[in-house]
Amino acid sequence: MRLNYKTLGLLGMLLIVSACKKEETTTAAKEAALPQVPVIELKEQNIPLSFEFSARSQGYKETQVRARVGGILLKRNYVEGSWVEEGSILFEIDPAPYKVALKQAQAQLAQAKAKLQSAETQWKRTEKLFKEGYASEKTKDEALSTKDALAAEVQLAEAAVDSAQLNLDYTTVRAPISGITSLETQSEGSLISTSGDSSLLTSITQIDPIYVIFSATESEILSLTNMTERGLIKNPERGQDIYAKLKLGDGSIYGQKGKINFINPTVDESTGTIKLRAVFPNPEGKIRPGQFVRLIMEGLVRINALVVPQESVMQGANGSFVYKVNDKGVIEMVSVQTGLTTPNGEWIIDEGLKAGEKVVYSGLLKLRPGMTVTPVVMSSDNSAATQAQ
């Protein structure tokens, strides 16, 4: 049988098509045989930061109420543990001896004034006689000296009256500030003195606003400071203020927001921590001094952050590392420096990765650097979305 050129050309084309189909089938089979690896494609994003600390509340002002005069404590005019207003009467000390002392001082003042009046009259007479030449200079000087001495006595008597009046006023003990009272330390009928423990009557704590004290590690503060200086952390909502929330013992969130108003400039040598203080409105008195709470510090944003799940980060002899898939589908091990965590517990990568790179999400123990894989990009809900080309 003789084949013409046309038939030979057709047979050649069929062989070429068959070879191409075989090659495509082989390539597809190889790709199907490669293990599929879930990856996350890194994108820069702004992450709201949240930090939680153990904390304890403290009164805004804590004042001891002490007796300033001694005597018998006659009466307590408040209910222990209740709210009192500034200036309200808390205790009454027996005023009788101080009333007597005031009357004595007033009598002595009246006597001194009478003597002074007589001396002033005598001085005027002597001065007139001296000018007329009927009194000596010595007589004039003695009259003037007597008048000045009695004027000083009047001033001394006036001071004694003021002191006696002050002591009488001190028998009524008033609240120096508004706040919550503590238990009384001296019961009615007790003899009060002005020194030592017996002078302490009660304490008042101002609880609106109220302080919340907490501590952060030195490394945490340094890390936040450094990233703020580098422009990686900003507070876009409230300028320089860093606000906070409180989580109470039952897990509920306190309804009032506070702000950080003090950072201790020194480090506690025994603990390596830095003390911070937040202030919260407390109009209803729900937060009491000494109460243990959890403080949540918010308001800061990590700018242009690259985020990976915690399970993507492994620890090796040289520190933290992740597996990424390069453009050729090959696994590479990359050393990274982790920073803060997101509110969901994911790692923010400070160094080692760039936006657009594909980081392996799970199944890391089955992988080794140099392996060729098929990366499968995961969506935000960790489900396979599209296969990377």
Side-chain angles (χ1 to χ4, degrees):
M1 184 176 180
R2 184 177 292 179
L3 299 176
N4 55 29
Y5 289 108
K6 189 174 183 179
T7 303
L8 289 174
L10 181 60
L11 289 174
M13 291 180 62
L14 290 174
L15 289 174
I16 291 173
V17 171
S18 176
C20 290
K21 288 185 177 180
K22 184 176 181 181
E23 184 177 351
E24 291 177 357
T25 302
T26 303
T27 301
K30 287 182 178 180
E31 291 182 352
L34 293 177
Q36 292 189 344
V37 175
V39 298
I40 292 178
E41 186 171 351
L42 299 181
K43 297 179 181 179
E44 290 183 345
Q45 50 189 312
N46 295 338
I47 303 296
L49 300 176
S50 178
F51 308 91
E52 189 168 326
F53 303 91
S54 296
R56 191 169 186 176
S57 57
Q58 176 182 300
Y60 186 76
K61 291 181 181 179
E62 295 180 353
T63 302
Q64 293 181 336
V65 180
R66 292 183 177 270
R68 303 180 72 172
V69 293
I72 301 299
L73 184 62
L74 296 182
K75 189 176 182 182
R76 170 169 55 83
N77 295 308
Y78 70 95
V79 177
E80 296 167 297
S82 64
W83 175 271
V84 294
E85 294 290 341
E86 179 180 353
S88 59
I89 298 176
L90 302 180
F91 297 94
E92 295 178 23
I93 299 172
D94 184 10
Y98 299 99
K99 289 181 179 179
V100 173
L102 177 59
K103 289 181 179 180
Q104 289 175 342
Q106 289 171 337
Q108 290 173 353
L109 175 60
Q111 188 178 31
K113 285 181 176 181
K115 290 181 180 179
L116 175 60
Q117 185 176 4
S118 176
E120 287 175 341
T121 301
Q122 183 62 36
W123 158 247
K124 290 178 181 179
R125 291 174 182 170
T126 303
E127 185 180 29
K128 181 179 180 181
L129 291 173
F130 176 77
K131 290 178 179 179
E132 294 174 351
Y134 296 108
S136 65
E137 187 171 352
K138 179 181 178 183
T139 303
K140 184 196 73 166
D141 292 342
E142 289 176 349
L144 179 60
S145 176
T146 300
K147 179 181 76 69
D148 290 343
L150 290 174
E153 286 186 13
V154 169
Q155 291 180 343
L156 187 62
E158 288 175 341
V161 170
D162 291 341
S163 177
Q165 182 64 60
L166 194 60
N167 288 334
L168 179 60
D169 293 340
Y170 284 158
T171 61
T172 300
V173 182
R174 298 180 181 273
I177 62 172
S178 300
I180 300 294
T181 58
S182 68
L183 292 172
E184 66 174 8
T185 59
Q186 303 288 343
S187 59
E188 296 173 348
S190 299
L191 178 62
I192 305 301
S193 72
T194 57
S195 62
D197 294 338
S198 63
S199 67
L200 180 61
L201 302 178
T202 188
S203 297
I204 299 177
T205 303
Q206 183 177 344
I207 62 172
D208 183 27
I210 194 165
Y211 285 142
V212 175
I213 309 299
F214 64 102
S215 296
T217 64
E218 181 182 4
S219 60
E220 289 174 331
I221 297 298
L222 288 176
S223 176
L224 287 175
T225 301
N226 291 336
M227 285 190 288
T228 301
E229 292 175 350
R230 292 162 55 192
L232 298 178
I233 290 182
K234 294 184 179 180
N235 186 9
E237 293 186 10
R238 299 183 62 182
Q240 297 299 319
D241 291 337
I242 302 175
Y243 64 87
K245 297 189 298 186
L246 289 182
K247 183 187 293 185
L248 305 182
D250 59 358
S252 62
I253 300 298
Y254 179 57
Q256 299 281 350
K257 283 188 177 181
K259 65 178 181 179
I260 311 300
N261 72 338
F262 175 76
I263 300 177
N264 199 330
T266 60
V267 179
D268 190 324
E269 296 180 358
S270 60
T271 62
T273 59
I274 297 175
K275 184 174 292 186
L276 297 92
R277 185 182 69 193
V279 59
F280 286 82
N282 192 30
E284 298 179 1
K286 289 185 176 180
I287 308 299
R288 293 294 182 114
Q291 185 173 345
F292 286 98
V293 293
R294 301 286 296 179
L295 183 138
I296 304 172
M297 189 167 69
E298 296 181 331
L300 298 177
V301 176
R302 176 64 161 84
I303 304 299
N304 300 329
L306 299 177
V307 179
V308 300
Q310 284 200 0
E311 50 266 39
S312 295
V313 180
M314 296 178 288
Q315 297 296 322
N318 297 322
S320 301
F321 67 93
V322 299
Y323 283 151
K324 76 173 185 178
V325 181
N326 63 20
D327 295 337
K328 297 180 180 181
V330 178
I331 297 290
E332 294 182 2
M333 184 177 74
V334 181
S335 296
V336 297
Q337 179 178 331
T338 58
L340 302 171
T341 58
T342 70
N344 296 329
E346 297 175 311
W347 281 115
I348 297 176
I349 303 300
D350 287 341
E351 293 182 8
L353 295 173
K354 297 182 296 184
E357 293 183 319
K358 300 179 179 66
V359 174
V360 179
Y361 176 77
S362 62
L364 287 81
L365 296 179
K366 300 178 181 179
L367 305 177
R368 294 293 182 271
M371 290 179 59
T372 302
V373 297
T374 301
V376 178
V377 178
M378 308 297 290
S379 65
S380 59
D381 59 354
N382 296 337
S383 60
T386 57
Q387 181 169 317
Q389 298 298 324

